[in-house]
Amino acid sequence: MAVSRKPPRREVGLVGWLRKNLFSSISNTVLTVLASLFIFFALYSLLSWILFDAHWERVWVNLRLFAVFRYPEDQLWRPLAALALCLGLLGATTGLSRRTTENPILRGVFFSFSLVAALLTVVALLFWESVRWSWLLVSLSSVAGYIIGMSRLRIGKLLPWLWAASFPIIALLLYGFMPGEGLMRVVPAKEWGGFLLTLVLTTGVIPSFPIGVALALGRRSELPAIKYFCIAVIEIVRGAPLIMWLFVASLLLPLLLNVDANSLPSVMRAYVAITLFSAAYMAENVRGGLQAVPRGQTEAAKALGLSGWQTTRLIVLPQALRAVIPAIVGQSIALFKDTSLVFIVGLTDFFTVANVVASQTESLLITGGIRLEVSLFIALVYWFVAFRMSVASRQLEQKLGVGER
Amino acid sequence: MTETGIPIARADAPAGGEKIIEIEGMNKWFGDFHVLKDISMSVNKGEVVVIIGPSGSGKSTLIRCINRLEEHQEGRIVVDGIELTDDIRNIDQVRRETGMVFQQFNLFPHLTALENVTLAPIRVRRWKRTQAEERAMYFLEKVGIPEQAHKYPGQLSGGQQQRVAIARALTMEPKVMLFDEPTSALDPEVIGEVLEVMVNLAKEGMTMCVVTHEMGFAREVGDRVIFMDVGQIVEVGTPDHFFTNPSEERTRSFLSKIL
Amino acid sequence: MANGRTRIPFYRNVKILGVLAQSVFVMVLLIGAAILFTNVNSALKKSNLPADFTFLDDRAGIPIAESAIRYETDNTYLRAWVIGFLNTLKVALVGVTLASLLGVLLGVMRLSRNWLIRQLATIYVETVRNIPLAVQIVFWFTAVFTPIPPRILNPIELPGGIFFSNQGIALPWLYPTYRFAAWNSWLLLALLVFLGLFLWRRRQIWLADRPGNPWLLPLAVGLLVAAVGYGVVERSGNVLPEGIAADFLPDRGRGTVYLDADGNGRLGTSEHSVPFVSLTIGISEGQLETTTQNLTESKGDVNSTFRFPPIEEGEAERIEVGFASPVDAEGYDLHFLRYPSVGLVYQDHNANGNFDSGEELVDPADPTKKGFSGVKLVMTVSGFERTVIADRDGGFRVPRFELPGAEAQVEGGNANPFSVFRPTAAPSEAEGVEAVITLNKTGPLVLSRPEIPVSEYVGGIRLTTSYLALLIALVIYTASFIAEIVRGGIQAVPKGQSEAAKSLGLSDSQTFSLVIFPQALRIILPPMISQYLNLTKNSSLAPLAAYGELFVITSIIANQTGASIPAATMLIVSYLSISLSFAFVLNIVNERFALVER
């Protein structure tokens, strides 16, 4: 009689794993040894440089420049309050989504970002006197948001409106609305910079969304004039790199609007260019989603007597947009990375601050300069945000089953 | 006569009835391809007309013309006294009065079964939600799946999906139901449950145009059978005439292949 | 029932509504365009900026560090722009090739059976593609290629005559000479032979009815024909063109090869230079001078280093290096790092004839400071002979010899050519050194090797650190995307395919090359081509590495002339045409590879 036995020892367990994955043949073993040597030396030299040779103090003393550039020191609570609002809303959304399938993904994103906020809060409590309490507010707000979301309070219907309202609130908070030297005084756009500016420019993806949807629908229109106009806009914008559009926008916008070049802040020119650029790519993403909606769907809607606009709004767009959420997240990541190109119009975003810091006299006095240090620092920050979001995007893709059909 | 040598038949409804669909000398082309040739047919109120024919014979295109999912280029189509022209108001009216069931069900995957059914009554007929849901549940019960009302189409079997689709069309209280091969995409063991719903519907006196390969259905409830080939009506008759003694050679060879 | 065609009110007719909507749309567009147009017009009038392309013929005055064709700052804007375009192509073509190689390697690594290799590739991909390209370019340019390469005077020499320094990499390079035209007919013949043989082989394989390689033999024969042609051209016929002459300025150590149209033996303004001519320069007697300099060779050690223009031992019959002043010769000794050009001056305290640490020169004014610059040295050379290749402007350089014992000549002295040589070289007399220049026979191609006669590269091909930084960043960044495409493409081939192939008895490599690869290629190629386009577009980040390509040059033009609208038009049109040509290729590929389906 056949009795099920355990597999041979060499097939399972640690030994089996090692045999299968690292030492399955001679060539494989050689590769393993070479790769280990490479990893060892790379790690050794990198770590010894990071721990002993690098001049991190230049990064440390310039952290405020990296974060907000020349935003006035006594007004620093304002960007932090905006951050608190965002994290609070994200927390509430996460808490509320408990029963949906997307919850683990949202939770992962929220937890990793609020963990960073909590770490920074600890650092702030220890070292940064001027923003100590603001940072505490950020951490508390994220926790409070999550708890409110988890609780049985009925804020589900309210949340989209809160998100929508948060954008003008944040804009007012950051820009200010009172002249003079008061509490909410206006902070001119040229004093903004650093990571704050990078994030503000990344929000260009939000206005680009409706424009992109309109362009995508226009591209599929049966009316040739509208169709070819949309195709032309999308292809021309996508045909040239963003850096060129930023440059062209800063050259042409004053001419096109016939205003003095100085009366249009660079931030606005960059924002317009980024939004339109993103809209063209958004249109292509949405078009992909629209194409994925079977023809039968519109036919069924028409047969039921729905009008063309009702069909688009109630049947086609909801399905198309759901399918392209991962692509849109991906595009937001790309835009987040691409905001680094605004140096070309003279803005000082996170990326450009690195250059500013490296050219300070104190930095130049250090033998060999501190280019390596600042490059690694900003690379790490960009990487963390982009990587965390791309992981979420990939998880969403799997959840939605995009690409499986 | 056409180049195929088969004479074009007319499929007029029996005299005396109240005509609800009238098609006269209708022609349609896809580009250069002549898909429908000189179609003349009519359907009486309460009649069940079954359209059969080999694939590519234009039968699906014909019933898709009746609610203007396809536009015809020549001839007239009148549904319930409304002629289908470029007039957008007429098109909307005709679509409201005809229900359609598709081969691929075409349920909206982002809405539950109940939402699928109530969508058009609320948005097109402007009913109140409660009223719409009440009627929807009535029809869902009628097709035998009231317990699936809150599931999404992806959670239903093919037969269940098609029955929701029928309920969806019925809730609009159409005067005519168009069926475009409603059982072709179904597994053999669930075809029966869909056919049963259709048979009941026919027995209740619904006007129906059915494109199908289910000869049993045609025999049981069909008032008339129309045989189409290469875009034209070849032969028309009662099921009895049709299945026992067809007059056209082309019809005979088709039937011998599928029966 | 409706009787006949009733009239439909226009506001309900679907067709008329469509036309109406489009007309309204076009009207709105036209009005918008008109408003913008008047805005631009009045703005241009106010500011008086150029609005057409006539400025392109003006002198540009833009310095460009590297260009594929001849460029001087006196050239026009148009030519500067063309250089920019060519530089974009240069970085894009090389970048695309290297990125494909690296990307495919990484893609295959991600599918490796070895866990460690797989993880390494994953880490690479996930790191590189989540960091902005701008950050990576700046990293390579400012953190790697600016501080790390040694100065040009102390370059790293790599095998094969390659130099690496803070002025970039210089590589030996093959250039077509004036003899290239004679080779053309041979190349054509080789091509015809190749095609003919290919067709014949293909037919033969078809007749034989079994698989075979129709490429290999024709390719080998074609290459052989080309090689034979090369040899024949090199040995045969009238070697030098009529009227070729060399104009040599010995006090500057440089000269020009040109076509002496008027026969006066001098380079006139209207006479053309001849590029890439090989010539041999012989100098019977001459002397070089140099002064030692403090050079930090490693931490803490400061040496009194001297450096003559590089001369190899074999290039001269006799070489002597000594002190210019007898006083120095008494106290100091010479130690060669590379005989006879590079070395250091020391004091042989222990008299062992060798340089030991602690024997560095000290500053007479401050004995605690090591290193002392200013010791004058002379190198006397007799029977010097060197073969050089003229550059693309016909220019060539040799060390600046002076007459032995003569005083140093006045810098920037009279530029009179002191000797002019006909193909059959004849020595000429003047107040300087005697030099004999012979123009050599060359084949269709000439191998130009880089050298560093003074403090810049001469000969070969030079890749600036700007170019290298941009190229490396683009390659590394794009490769991470290509790796994912390759991995995805191979994984997208259903497992059943390889199982089916194996069950038919195909070997592993046959399974891959006949079944998996053709199917994967179909999936891989289209996104790969759009990555190539991305790389090309991303090369516009060149301002971060100070590389003068299309975008950089055009933006400089816009800033210098204020011609915003023409410059913007030029930029948009050039990038669009690049994108369109990629789209064209993509279409061809898609058509060629489309699955035949019902």
Side-chain angles (χ1 to χ4, degrees):
Chain A
M1 177 179 158
V3 180
S4 43
R5 292 182 296 131
K6 284 197 171 161
R9 196 174 152 64
R10 44 186 289 184
E11 295 291 320
V12 290
L14 183 64
V15 178
W17 187 89
L18 284 176
R19 274 186 67 90
K20 192 168 160 231
N21 288 298
L22 295 177
F23 305 104
S24 62
S25 64
I26 294 176
S27 60
N28 213 342
T29 310
V30 171
L31 274 180
T32 303
V33 172
L34 286 179
S36 323
L37 282 175
F38 171 77
I39 293 173
F40 175 76
F41 284 112
L43 270 186
Y44 175 77
S45 44
L46 188 69
L47 282 180
S48 67
W49 178 79
I50 286 178
L51 294 177
F52 304 114
D53 296 340
H55 293 268
W56 296 114
E57 71 279 0
R58 295 303 307 151
V59 173
W60 172 252
V61 299
N62 284 304
L63 274 182
R64 192 156 67 83
L65 282 189
F66 276 113
V68 293
F69 199 49
R70 299 218 176 97
Y71 206 88
E73 190 166 6
D74 60 325
Q75 300 293 315
L76 281 182
W77 64 272
R78 278 155 59 175
L80 285 171
L83 180 64
L85 181 60
C86 283
L87 272 181
L89 280 174
L90 184 62
T93 313
T94 309
L96 203 72
S97 73
R98 226 171 353 160
R99 277 181 296 272
T100 65
T101 48
E102 282 84 11
N103 176 259
I105 301 169
L106 257 180
R107 217 166 42 197
V109 172
F110 170 67
F111 282 174
S112 48
F113 283 122
S114 46
L115 186 70
V116 172
L119 277 177
L120 286 172
T121 307
V122 174
V123 177
L125 286 174
L126 291 174
F127 301 106
W128 302 331
E129 228 163 286
S130 59
V131 288
R132 190 170 278 176
W133 306 117
S134 312
W135 268 109
L136 201 59
L137 173 77
V138 172
S139 279
L140 288 179
S141 157
S142 65
V143 174
Y146 189 64
I147 290 172
I148 291 173
M150 292 277 282
S151 72
R152 300 205 170 268
L153 290 175
R154 296 187 168 224
I155 56 160
K157 285 248 163 73
L158 218 58
L159 214 52
W161 297 106
L162 284 177
W163 271 113
S166 71
F167 291 108
I169 293 175
I170 288 172
L172 275 182
L173 203 57
L174 292 177
Y175 192 73
F177 47 84
M178 289 193 325
E181 291 293 306
L183 186 65
M184 289 301 291
R185 68 166 196 252
V186 168
V187 181
K190 61 171 184 264
E191 294 183 11
W192 296 25
F195 201 64
L196 173 67
L197 182 63
T198 295
L199 288 182
V200 165
L201 289 173
T202 308
T203 62
V205 82
I206 295 164
S208 85
F209 180 70
I211 306 175
V213 171
L215 281 174
L217 290 174
R219 187 167 187 168
R220 280 168 56 98
S221 165
E222 287 161 6
L223 307 176
I226 294 172
K227 180 176 169 185
Y228 289 111
F229 173 78
C230 291
I231 292 181
V233 169
I234 293 172
E235 294 306 330
I236 289 176
V237 170
R238 276 161 31 100
L242 175 60
I243 189 171
M244 190 213 85
W245 287 118
L246 286 165
F247 181 71
V248 165
S250 74
L251 277 187
L252 293 193
L253 268 189
L255 288 181
L256 288 174
L257 304 177
N258 193 13
V259 291
D260 184 35
N262 297 324
S263 67
L264 280 178
S266 302
V267 177
M268 206 179 98
R269 298 185 217 176
Y271 203 84
V272 169
I274 283 178
T275 303
L276 292 181
F277 184 78
S278 167
Y281 279 84
M282 189 67 82
E284 283 305 273
N285 281 335
V286 173
R287 186 166 76 111
L290 291 175
Q291 276 171 344
V293 179
R295 248 173 72 95
Q297 293 289 313
T298 36
E299 286 182 353
K302 275 188 189 167
L304 285 169
L306 295 176
S307 72
W309 174 235
Q310 280 178 325
T311 307
T312 305
R313 190 167 55 94
L314 299 171
I315 307 300
V316 178
L317 272 186
Q319 296 183 45
L321 295 185
R322 200 174 149 76
V324 296
I325 291 174
I328 292 175
V329 175
Q331 198 196 321
S332 313
I333 301 169
L335 194 68
F336 170 70
K337 292 191 292 167
D338 279 349
T339 53
S340 53
L341 304 183
V342 295
F343 72 87
I344 202 77
V345 292
L347 292 177
T348 319
D349 73 326
F350 188 57
F351 166 69
T352 317
V353 173
N355 197 23
V356 172
V357 169
S359 331
Q360 289 167 339
T361 326
E362 297 91 326
S363 310
L364 292 174
L365 284 177
I366 293 169
T367 320
I370 58 156
R371 290 283 180 181
L372 211 51
E373 286 87 342
V374 291
S375 297
L376 277 190
F377 171 67
I378 59 169
L380 183 72
V381 174
Y382 275 116
W383 178 84
F384 174 74
V385 178
F387 177 70
R388 192 63 200 78
M389 294 310 289
S390 74
V391 167
S393 153
R394 245 171 291 163
Q395 290 168 334
L396 265 175
E397 213 166 296
Q398 277 171 2
K399 266 270 145 50
L400 295 173
V402 180
E404 298 166 22
R405 228 182 297 281
Chain B
M1 287 284 284
T2 61
E3 64 269 32
T4 53
I6 307 166
I8 290 176
R10 289 182 63 91
D12 289 319
E18 188 190 337
K19 286 182 182 165
I20 194 158
I21 300 176
E22 281 189 272
I23 300 174
E24 193 59 50
M26 192 257 279
N27 278 287
K28 173 165 181 61
W29 289 263
F30 283 137
D32 282 339
F33 178 54
H34 200 169
V35 267
L36 292 177
K37 299 166 188 157
D38 281 332
I39 304 288
S40 297
M41 67 176 277
S42 50
V43 178
N44 276 344
K45 217 168 218 177
E47 209 182 3
V48 176
V49 175
V50 180
I51 306 172
I52 60 173
S55 62
S57 61
K59 49 193 194 310
S60 281
T61 312
L62 173 59
I63 71 162
R64 286 158 64 87
C65 279
I66 296 175
N67 66 351
R68 189 75 168 195
L69 283 183
E70 305 286 355
E71 190 184 327
H72 62 283
Q73 276 110 16
E74 270 178 20
R76 281 154 43 85
I77 301 178
V78 180
V79 180
D80 196 24
I82 305 159
E83 183 176 358
L84 278 171
T85 57
D86 285 339
D87 190 338
I88 197 164
R89 199 180 61 177
N90 289 7
I91 297 173
D92 283 347
Q93 270 178 1
V94 167
R95 284 188 181 156
R96 232 172 284 168
E97 302 308 331
T98 52
M100 187 159 194
V101 177
F102 298 85
Q103 181 180 357
Q104 298 294 342
F105 330 135
N106 291 345
L107 289 184
F108 306 131
H110 60 303
L111 304 176
T112 63
L114 186 64
E115 285 166 344
N116 261 285
V117 178
T118 56
L119 179 78
I122 293 173
R123 300 283 175 170
V124 180
R125 290 244 190 258
R126 309 257 163 220
W127 291 354
K128 291 203 181 75
R129 178 174 296 277
T130 45
Q131 183 197 357
E133 284 183 356
E134 205 176 292
R135 291 299 289 165
M137 284 314 291
Y138 169 77
F139 282 109
L140 282 174
E141 261 163 54
K142 199 161 167 182
V143 298
I145 41 169
E147 71 284 357
Q148 314 286 3
H150 295 286
K151 287 194 180 161
Y152 283 92
Q155 298 165 302
L156 301 178
S157 73
Q160 289 170 331
Q161 288 194 45
Q162 193 60 300
R163 283 188 280 162
V164 172
I166 294 174
R168 178 173 73 175
L170 287 176
T171 313
M172 283 292 281
E173 300 186 333
K175 296 192 171 123
V176 181
M177 284 286 283
L178 307 172
F179 290 85
D180 185 3
E181 305 200 20
T183 54
S184 299
L186 293 175
D187 291 336
E189 71 265 25
V190 297
I191 288 180
E193 60 193 45
V194 173
L195 283 180
E196 193 190 318
V197 171
M198 288 169 65
V199 168
N200 289 338
L201 205 57
K203 285 180 178 160
E204 284 169 22
M206 174 61 81
T207 313
M208 293 165 69
C209 284
V210 185
V211 172
T212 187
H213 294 296
E214 293 296 326
M215 296 304 151
F217 175 80
R219 239 181 228 161
E220 187 180 346
V221 293
D223 293 317
R224 270 190 300 151
V225 177
I226 297 176
F227 173 66
M228 285 184 72
D229 192 17
V230 289
Q232 66 179 63
I233 296 177
V234 175
E235 189 166 1
V236 186
T238 60
D240 252 1
H241 157 81
F242 226 88
F243 293 112
T244 52
N245 185 26
S247 48
E248 289 292 328
E249 175 54 36
R250 184 72 193 86
T251 319
R252 245 172 273 150
S253 79
F254 173 72
L255 288 173
S256 70
K257 273 178 213 150
I258 64 163
L259 287 178
Chain C
M1 180 177 159
N3 44 355
R5 290 246 165 224
T6 45
R7 285 182 60 85
I8 311 160
F10 74 91
Y11 54 86
R12 274 176 17 207
N13 188 317
V14 274
K15 300 227 164 85
I16 294 180
L17 280 177
V19 175
L20 218 61
Q22 296 188 66
S23 327
V24 171
F25 181 74
V26 172
M27 285 286 284
V28 170
L29 277 189
L30 285 179
I31 293 171
I35 293 175
L36 292 181
F37 185 74
T38 46
N39 275 350
V40 170
N41 254 349
S42 60
L44 283 178
K45 255 182 215 139
K46 253 193 302 190
S47 55
N48 202 19
L49 292 172
D52 56 13
F53 291 90
T54 47
F55 72 92
L56 283 177
D57 288 334
D58 300 345
R59 178 184 177 277
I62 305 170
I64 306 174
E66 60 181 305
S67 59
I69 57 173
R70 290 176 69 171
Y71 175 78
E72 286 148 22
T73 43
D74 275 341
N75 285 147
T76 61
Y77 281 115
L78 184 65
R79 193 165 176 91
W81 180 84
V82 169
I83 305 271
F85 199 90
L86 290 176
N87 277 348
T88 292
L89 290 186
K90 181 170 150 193
V91 79
L93 289 178
V94 179
V96 158
T97 318
L98 296 180
S100 305
L101 293 176
L102 184 59
V104 170
L105 176 71
L106 285 162
V108 173
M109 277 169 71
R110 287 210 64 178
L111 295 169
S112 161
R113 280 185 201 158
N114 187 307
W115 181 84
L116 215 51
I117 298 287
R118 236 166 30 227
Q119 297 311 308
L120 269 182
T122 309
I123 290 171
Y124 173 97
V125 168
E126 292 297 346
T127 310
V128 165
R129 67 176 186 170
N130 283 314
I131 297 174
L133 178 58
V135 175
Q136 299 189 37
I137 293 176
V138 165
F139 167 78
W140 286 105
F141 187 57
T142 65
V144 175
F145 278 109
T146 306
I148 289 182
R151 280 168 293 184
I152 180 89
L153 288 175
N154 194 25
I156 297 174
E157 272 186 63
L158 300 167
I162 302 168
F163 290 97
F164 177 54
S165 75
N166 59 358
Q167 290 199 8
I169 288 183
L171 307 155
W173 195 252
L174 281 175
Y175 287 106
T177 64
Y178 55 92
R179 297 284 288 151
F180 192 82
W183 196 32
N184 275 342
S185 49
W186 284 95
L187 286 178
L188 189 70
L189 180 69
L191 186 71
L192 288 176
V193 166
F194 168 75
L195 283 178
L197 272 179
F198 171 70
L199 291 175
W200 173 75
R201 272 288 289 166
R202 206 173 59 168
R203 186 170 161 71
Q204 210 188 27
I205 288 166
W206 185 74
L207 287 175
D209 214 10
R210 5 187 7 185
N213 188 335
W215 298 98
L216 218 55
L217 176 77
L219 195 66
V221 176
L223 287 176
L224 188 72
V225 170
V228 168
Y230 190 94
V232 170
V233 170
E234 195 174 26
R235 270 156 232 280
S236 72
N238 180 21
V239 174
L240 289 162
E242 194 68 25
I244 197 168
D247 187 354
F248 183 54
L249 306 167
D251 56 336
R252 294 191 176 178
R254 66 170 191 233
T256 312
V257 183
Y258 66 106
L259 277 180
D260 197 6
D262 51 13
N264 70 348
R266 287 196 187 186
L267 176 56
T269 44
S270 62
E271 285 168 341
H272 295 291
S273 60
V274 183
F276 308 126
V277 176
S278 157
L279 31 79
T280 305
I281 295 160
I283 289 169
S284 56
E285 194 89 44
Q287 132 180 345
L288 299 168
E289 287 181 19
T290 193
T291 311
T292 59
Q293 284 186 326
N294 288 339
L295 256 186
T296 312
E297 299 291 346
S298 62
K299 265 182 194 166
D301 286 347
V302 184
N303 283 317
S304 195
T305 313
F306 67 85
R307 192 181 296 276
F308 288 103
I311 289 179
E312 302 298 323
E313 258 181 282
E315 287 181 329
E317 283 164 14
R318 193 169 56 87
I319 301 176
E320 267 175 24
V321 182
F323 295 94
S325 133
V327 181
D328 293 337
E330 287 299 309
Y332 301 145
D333 293 284
L334 291 177
H335 171 81
F336 288 99
L337 297 170
R338 194 171 64 227
Y339 185 81
S341 297
V342 186
L344 49 92
V345 177
Y346 70 106
Q347 283 177 302
D348 200 4
H349 293 307
N350 58 6
N352 68 349
N354 252 331
F355 170 67
D356 307 297
S357 75
E359 296 186 333
E360 297 92 353
L361 291 198
V362 290
D363 192 340
D366 176 8
T368 58
K369 268 169 83 176
K370 279 184 178 175
F372 171 59
S373 51
V375 180
K376 282 197 171 157
L377 297 171
V378 251
M379 176 193 282
T380 332
V381 180
S382 58
F384 174 79
E385 198 173 81
R386 173 182 284 181
T387 300
V388 295
I389 310 286
D391 62 17
R392 66 176 174 216
D393 301 327
F396 57 89
R397 304 187 99 151
V398 285
R400 260 161 54 181
F401 286 105
E402 282 146 21
L403 274 180
E407 289 299 307
Q409 290 194 349
V410 185
E411 277 298 316
N414 190 1
N416 258 349
F418 96 100
S419 55
V420 175
F421 305 96
R422 293 283 157 190
T424 46
S428 177
E429 299 275 334
E431 74 261 36
V433 289
E434 279 182 27
V436 180
I437 298 185
T438 323
L439 292 160
N440 299 327
K441 275 185 170 186
T442 50
L445 297 172
V446 72
L447 181 70
S448 169
R449 290 175 182 283
E451 284 166 33
I452 309 172
V454 191
S455 59
E456 58 178 339
Y457 292 123
V458 165
I461 195 169
R462 177 189 159 208
L463 309 172
T464 55
T465 49
S466 294
Y467 175 80
L468 291 172
L470 183 65
L471 180 74
I472 288 180
L474 282 173
V475 165
I476 286 183
Y477 187 70
T478 313
S480 72
F481 291 90
I482 292 181
E484 282 306 272
I485 291 170
V486 170
R487 180 186 67 100
I490 294 177
Q491 280 181 338
V493 179
K495 217 177 149 204
Q497 293 289 317
S498 67
E499 287 172 353
K502 278 181 192 152
S503 73
L504 288 170
L506 297 182
S507 72
D508 272 4
S509 67
Q510 279 175 326
T511 302
F512 186 79
S513 63
L514 298 175
V515 178
I516 309 291
F517 181 69
Q519 297 188 54
L521 195 65
R522 193 195 308 281
I523 304 167
I524 288 171
L525 262 185
M528 193 97 139
I529 290 173
S530 65
Q531 282 307 321
Y532 293 165
L533 173 60
N534 281 349
L535 186 146
T536 311
K537 287 200 286 184
N538 282 337
S539 70
S540 59
L541 267 64
L544 291 169
Y547 175 67
E549 51 65 87
L550 181 58
F551 175 69
V552 170
I553 303 268
T554 319
S555 59
I556 294 175
I557 293 175
N559 290 336
Q560 274 191 8
T561 60
S564 321
I565 293 189
T569 316
M570 280 158 72
L571 275 176
I572 294 174
V573 167
S574 16
Y575 278 111
L576 266 191
S577 40
I578 290 175
S579 292
L580 284 180
S581 19
F582 272 96
F584 181 70
V585 174
L586 187 62
N587 270 343
I588 294 177
V589 168
N590 276 341
E591 254 166 51
R592 172 104 168 62
F593 280 88
L595 258 190
V596 182
E597 269 176 312
R598 237 170 71 95

